[in-house]
Structures are given as C-alpha cells and as structure tokens.
Amino acid sequence: MASGQGNVPAPPVPATDAASAGKEPRTARGRRTLRAILDAAAAEFGEKGFHEGSISGITRRAGVALGSFYTYFDSKDAVFRALVRDMSEQVREHVAPALKDAPGQIAAEQAALLAFIKFARTHKEIYRIIDEAEFVDPESFRMHYATTAERIARRLQAAAARGEVRSDVGEVHAWAIMGMNVFLGLRYSVWQEDVSPEAIAETVAAMLAHGIAPGT
C-alpha cells in the first residue's frame, strides 16, 4: 500500500478472526465468499467511508446475496472491524518475505519500506479505512499500530543481539520507524507517486544507518 504493480492477492485471514463470533466458514466455498465480502468492504469503505458505505453496497460489489453477508457478519460494524484486522494482516504478509531475504537489519528495514510503499500504491484505501477506525472502532485502530510496532521492536532487538544495530534499540525506535513508514506511504503512495519506491527506501535506509548529522 508501485506504479504499474498489480494488486497482490490477499491471503485468506483466519476464519475465527474474520467472521463474527460463531459464524466462521466451514467450507472452501464459504472462505471464498468471506474473502469476496472483505474485498468488497475494502472497496466500499475506501470509496465512501464507513458512514456512507452500506451493507447493500458491499454485497453488490461482492456479487453475493444479502443473506450471505449475514451468514458471516452481524452488522456493518462487525465487517468493518474484521476488515481492519484483515488489512493489517495483508500488510504483514506482504512485507514478511522482503524481511526474510534481507542480508542485515538496515537492509531489512529498507526492504520492508519498499514493500509497504508498493503495497500502499495498489491499496490506497487502507489509509482511509485505518484512519476511520480511530473513531469507528478505536480498539482495532490501536491494535493495528501496536502490533505493527511490536513486530518492528522484536526484529530490532533480535538484530541488536546479532550486533547489527545499536544495543539500546527498543519501543521508541520501533514507533519512530513505523510512524515514518506510515507517513511516507501517505505522501508517496496516496497523495502522489512522484518518487520511485526504491529511491524512498534507499534514502530512509541511509538515514537509519548514518543519521542526519553533518559528516555522517
């Protein structure tokens, strides 16, 4: 969430996390229907926002009957909560392979940002949906950012143990990196795509490695 990149197929989220309690799909067909509803909800809320978006709009986009929606979700609020978790998981799944293949932690943060910028360019709706979650579902909003920061903190601390970054890295560093990535995605993926993702990621990696003081 690069220009010219196709949409990355969304991985299926765990049914117990996606559907309302007690409504998880039990068949492959059910999981496909749930996936279609979540994708349609992303398009509906991304275009119209939560308050103007509707269940009927979601079902029309998904090509499913209204009853199919209620098979998996109790309400518009329920599908929105599931969507926030789903989009957070999509980001994680999209970035994870880039981290795995990186030769060191600075390279890993560069690869993670590159992957995120590309994801955001093909999933611009994530910004509107996550921003609205602050007011529609504050718990999911906080969870999205808290779990992302926790993942960054864990990988920084593991890198510190390997001697790849300074030994005192912690939560503040993790939130700083996450915040930087979020606003870079907003500026260079949602507002404009006037700088290549590679150039953005290289600039940030250099800043992480050397800081911005003179002569560094």
Side-chain angles (χ1 to χ4, degrees):
M1 23 156 274
S3 215
Q5 295 287 326
N7 283 332
V8 178
V13 295
T16 53
D17 291 340
S20 294
K23 294 191 172 188
E24 63 272 10
R26 293 177 173 81
T27 65
R29 181 179 180 182
R31 288 189 290 273
R32 288 193 298 270
T33 299
L34 177 58
R35 179 73 262 161
I37 292 171
L38 287 169
D39 289 344
E44 178 77 0
F45 294 137
E47 179 183 323
K48 299 180 179 179
F50 175 78
H51 295 291
E52 295 299 322
S54 66
I55 292 173
S56 60
I58 292 170
T59 56
R60 282 197 301 272
R61 292 174 189 267
V64 301
L66 189 61
S68 295
F69 178 91
Y70 287 106
T71 298
Y72 301 108
F73 297 104
D74 294 327
S75 64
K76 186 169 74 167
D77 294 71
V79 72
F80 186 85
R81 286 194 299 271
L83 179 62
V84 173
R85 294 194 298 272
D86 179 63
M87 299 200 84
S88 185
E89 182 67 11
Q90 285 191 53
V91 173
R92 187 189 71 82
E93 292 288 341
H94 190 74
V95 169
L99 291 168
K100 181 180 178 182
D101 295 336
Q105 196 55 40
I106 299 300
E109 298 307 325
Q110 179 178 348
L113 177 56
L114 175 60
F116 176 69
I117 293 290
K118 290 182 175 182
F119 180 88
R121 289 189 176 187
T122 56
H123 298 77
K124 299 178 191 291
E125 70 279 0
I126 191 171
Y127 276 88
R128 181 169 189 174
I129 291 166
I130 297 299
D131 285 351
E132 286 203 331
E134 181 180 7
F135 307 101
V136 177
D137 185 27
E139 182 180 356
S140 293
F141 175 78
R142 292 187 64 173
M143 183 181 297
H144 168 72
Y145 286 115
T147 55
T148 300
E150 287 168 6
R151 288 196 296 268
I152 297 173
R154 286 196 299 269
R155 70 188 188 226
L156 289 177
Q157 289 159 1
R162 298 191 300 268
E164 295 176 4
V165 298
R166 54 191 293 169
S167 61
D168 63 346
V169 293
E171 183 181 48
V172 172
H173 298 89
W175 279 85
I177 289 173
M178 179 183 67
M180 178 172 57
N181 292 354
V182 167
F183 280 96
L184 287 167
L186 179 63
R187 163 62 179 85
Y188 293 106
S189 294
V190 178
W191 291 354
Q192 286 183 292
E193 298 182 16
D194 54 338
V195 180
S196 75
E198 291 76 12
I200 297 165
E202 287 172 7
T203 298
V204 171
M207 185 171 70
L208 290 175
H210 306 296
I212 59 173
T216 59

